[in-house]
Amino acid sequence: MEMNTLLKYKVAVITGSSQGIGAGIAKAFAENGAKVIINYSKNEAKATETVDEITSLGGTAIAVKADISKPADVKKLFADTVNAFGKLDILVNNTGILQFETLEAITAENLHAQINTNLIGTILATQQAAALMHTDGGSIINISATTSINPLPGTLVFSATKAAIDNVTKVLAKELGPKNIRINTIAPGMTATEGSNEKGIIGSDFENQTRSITPLGRIAAPQDIARVAVFLASEDSAWVTGERIQVSGGQQ
């Protein structure tokens, strides 16, 4: 791993980072000198694999199990971060659940599952992070989606939670700015990840249609999102807060 210094001496928590976009961001942060916390709730093997990949290339990473939808787990995640590295500089609220269902198929169970993880978990994690950043400031990055402003049929709950995340960012940029804590949103378009493969998106007509309406003619890889996250985490974006950056190859 060729180490850069954009994030040298920084400590970063990336929720839901055992695989997919979260893992891509964690690897990019480590490549730029940050110490990273790989958070997972179920897949310990993938989390360990991501940690091993980072450390084998000269980076610093640990894995911490925590379900972001559970307040006690959120507190433990940040307590473990401080115990390991003594501080926190960057939080990426990446953990999210996407369940495709039309209105008549929505149940209270899957409604609450998405809201508790996507929205409430983001707020609880941000609350813990801000308390740790109050002295030196920091950067918080929320992961939204193109569907927060251009929702698709069958994504009612997911799109609603992501629209809420956009507004969480705007409100907290105003609340946390005086503490030198910046907060911004990345809204990815369709991205090739383990999750999108498992849901049958990759290789589907949906993917082909998305490619056809994307000016850059492809879907994203995790590193496409990660490069923007590095910018928002670094001092290169010191005058940027409260923004939503759509990273979708021009797809609206």
Side-chain angles (χ1 to χ4, degrees):
M1 179 183 291
E2 183 179 347
M3 300 298 291
N4 299 312
T5 59
L6 268 179
L7 302 178
K8 192 174 182 181
Y9 306 123
K10 302 293 187 182
V11 174
V13 167
I14 305 96
T15 67
S17 51
S18 62
Q19 60 184 15
I21 289 173
I25 291 173
K27 293 171 188 176
F29 282 4
E31 288 170 4
N32 281 276
K35 300 173 182 177
V36 298
I37 291 80
I38 305 300
N39 161 245
Y40 70 100
S41 64
K42 296 177 182 177
N43 199 333
E44 182 178 7
K46 287 296 293 185
T48 300
E49 181 181 316
T50 301
V51 168
D52 289 346
E53 183 176 346
I54 290 170
T55 56
S56 69
L57 295 172
T60 302
I62 62 169
V64 177
K65 182 177 182 178
D67 183 337
I68 297 303
S69 70
K70 298 178 179 178
D73 279 22
V74 174
K75 289 182 179 179
K76 178 183 179 298
L77 170 61
F78 290 93
D80 287 355
T81 297
V82 173
N83 287 338
F85 298 124
K87 64 169 186 169
L88 176 70
D89 303 289
I90 303 158
L91 166 65
V92 181
N93 284 309
N94 171 73
T95 297
I97 296 174
L98 166 60
Q99 294 179 348
F100 289 105
E101 69 267 292
T102 53
L103 178 62
E104 64 272 15
I106 293 172
T107 64
E109 182 180 7
N110 61 32
L111 177 68
H112 288 296
Q114 292 180 84
I115 292 173
N116 289 349
T117 296
N118 300 1
L119 177 57
I120 295 174
T122 290
I123 293 172
L124 292 176
T126 300
Q127 184 182 53
Q128 293 293 314
L132 294 174
M133 294 174 176
H134 69 93
T135 301
D136 300 319
S139 175
I140 298 170
I141 302 166
N142 292 329
I143 303 300
S144 180
T146 56
T147 56
S148 72
I149 60 172
N150 188 20
L152 301 171
T155 67
L156 173 61
V157 182
F158 177 79
S159 296
T161 62
K162 293 304 185 178
I165 291 299
D166 292 352
N167 279 283
V168 165
T169 297
K170 292 177 182 178
V171 172
L172 292 183
K174 296 172 182 177
E175 284 192 23
L176 300 178
K179 300 177 182 179
N180 196 32
I181 299 172
R182 299 181 297 104
I183 180 165
N184 293 285
T185 294
I186 294 175
M190 184 183 289
T191 306
T193 65
E194 293 90 341
S196 55
N197 268 293
E198 290 167 5
K199 291 181 182 297
I201 295 172
I202 304 305
S204 67
D205 291 342
F206 181 27
E207 182 196 351
N208 293 333
Q209 181 185 15
T210 301
R211 287 176 180 270
S212 72
I213 62 172
T214 300
L216 292 183
R218 62 177 178 87
I219 63 171
Q223 56 263 36
D224 293 312
I225 316 304
R227 294 184 187 102
V228 180
V230 169
F231 165 70
L232 289 175
S234 75
E235 293 305 310
D236 284 353
S237 61
W239 196 236
V240 181
T241 194
E243 297 296 336
R244 178 187 184 278
I245 300 176
Q246 188 148 305
V247 186
S248 62
Q251 181 214 345
Q252 299 303 311

